[in-house]
Amino acid sequence: MPSTWCLLASFIPRPSASSATEWSLTPRFLLAELDLLASRGVDISRVAVSDRAHVVMPYHLELERLEEEAQGKAAIGTTRRGIGPCYADKAARLGIRMGDLAEPEAFTSRLRFVVEYKNKILERVYGAKPFDWRQIADEYLRYGERLKPFIRDTSLIVLRALEQDGLVLLEGAQGTLLDLDYGTYPYVTSSSTGAGGACLGVGIGPTQVSHTLGVFKAYVTRVGAGPMPTELTDEVGQLLRERAREYGATTGRPRRCGWFDAVLARFSARVNDLTSIAITRLDILDAFDRIKVCVAYQTDGVVSEEFPTSVARLAAVRPVYEELPGWLTDTSRVRRFEDLPPNAQRYVRRLEELVGRPVSLVSVGPERNQVIPLRPIP
């Protein structure tokens, strides 16, 4: 398999900064992105979109908006991009998949049934306007016609690459605490965000994975509601946010920031069976003379190093901190680990000890040449 294949196993296009407020997960934006790449001379003939990927439809966006508004202060704090309702339809066997767009007759028949079903909910539960299935069909069939050359069984592409001893890189989305099963339920996303979910999504077995790299920021962030033991609501947290420009990529919402949580990191290492870890954004900590790391949780005088399942218990814990000296030195130009300030090296090594996994990579900025390798990744 050529190394330049681009597989879109999950249909989640990325917005441009200028259109983030209007962005939604529809084929129109995927086509716009493909057109942009083509206009800049990029060969898009190797792009493949999984025929099994579920498509976010217009009624998903509307339903998520209405559901969030109806919950008021109890709202989960979703991105309102229709992802949750789309996953709900997948589980309820009401979903529309990319492969359906290439089959006009079957797609139209299925869409009519689903839209009529959704309209009952929109009208009777929320008092909202119904959708015209004919308009949706006309629009999405045009998308399907243009996307048809890209819609493939992507699991076969990956399998053939593995059979030829090719290198396959799977990039997970979001973080462990947003996992539907192992995250801070109900403040989670609608999918399995762990390493096991990546195998399922791309269509390979777990024994095919030779290395699982866990990516951790040198501090902790979270978007939306849910307990976050090390959250900093003071000027330190504000400094972290502004130095790192921690604002949601799709929503623009400010991310909640806090010190590194080793209890959470160990939990993530366990449920994902991490082989090694990467520590990113180390340079953001350059401005701090003292840096804290959460090494345990305390509840009612009892100290524990285990991550609780209950969000109520997690919300009640107090972080037990270990304080380390900062380095107050610009690390963004460093390219070798041994050239980092001694205290920065100690910080990385301490995280390695606390998480219980070796550090393979450290980054000190967003550019490729700002990634510092510590050990090879097979």
Side-chain angles (χ1 to χ4, degrees), residues 6 22 29 40 64 89 127 140 201 206 226 270 274 278 290 358 362:
C6 175
E22 299 178 356
F29 290 89
R40 296 185 178 181
E64 184 162 52
D89 276 3
Y140 277 69
R270 174 170 65 84
L274 299 181
R290 306 297 295 178
V362 173

Side-chain angles (χ1 to χ4, degrees), residues 360-372:
S360 290
L361 302 170
V362 173
S363 79
V364 291
E367 303 301 327
R368 288 188 177 186
N369 64 359
Q370 291 178 295
V371 176
I372 302 172

Side-chain angles (χ1 to χ4, degrees), residues 46-169:
R46 296 190 184 279
V47 172
V49 182
S50 173
D51 54 2
R52 293 178 173 86
H54 282 251
V55 183
V56 174
M57 306 297 288
Y59 45 82
H60 291 141
L61 298 166
E62 180 67 358
L63 283 167
E64 184 162 52
R65 181 186 70 82
L66 293 168
E67 288 168 2
E68 282 284 280
E69 291 178 356
Q71 293 184 60
K73 293 182 179 180
I76 301 299
T78 72
T79 60
R80 300 199 181 194
R81 306 306 180 190
I83 300 172
C86 181
Y87 270 104
D89 276 3
K90 176 182 178 180
R93 297 173 293 279
L94 293 171
I96 303 292
R97 305 199 295 182
M98 291 301 297
D100 297 330
L101 301 184
E103 304 290 341
E105 186 174 337
F107 167 72
T108 302
S109 175
R110 180 169 181 76
L111 178 70
R112 179 176 181 177
F113 167 77
V114 174
V115 171
E116 290 177 348
Y117 178 83
K118 297 296 180 182
N119 281 342
K120 293 176 183 177
I121 299 174
L122 288 166
E123 293 179 290
R124 300 176 187 178
V125 176
Y126 296 106
K129 293 181 180 180
F131 283 92
D132 185 339
W133 68 268
R134 296 175 185 83
Q135 290 183 355
I136 298 176
D138 290 343
E139 179 183 358
Y140 277 69
L141 284 174
R142 289 196 299 271
Y143 298 150
E145 186 63 30
R146 285 200 58 196
L147 288 170
K148 192 172 183 178
F150 302 102
I151 298 174
R152 304 276 298 277
D153 183 347
T154 53
S155 63
L156 283 177
I157 298 175
V158 175
L159 176 62
R160 287 166 183 159
L162 293 172
E163 290 176 343
Q164 298 169 17
D165 294 324
L167 178 64
V168 176
L169 175 64

Side-chain angles (χ1 to χ4, degrees), residues 184-203:
T184 48
Y185 192 90
Y187 303 101
V188 294
T189 190
S190 305
S191 61
S192 297
T193 61
C199 295
L200 183 63
V202 81

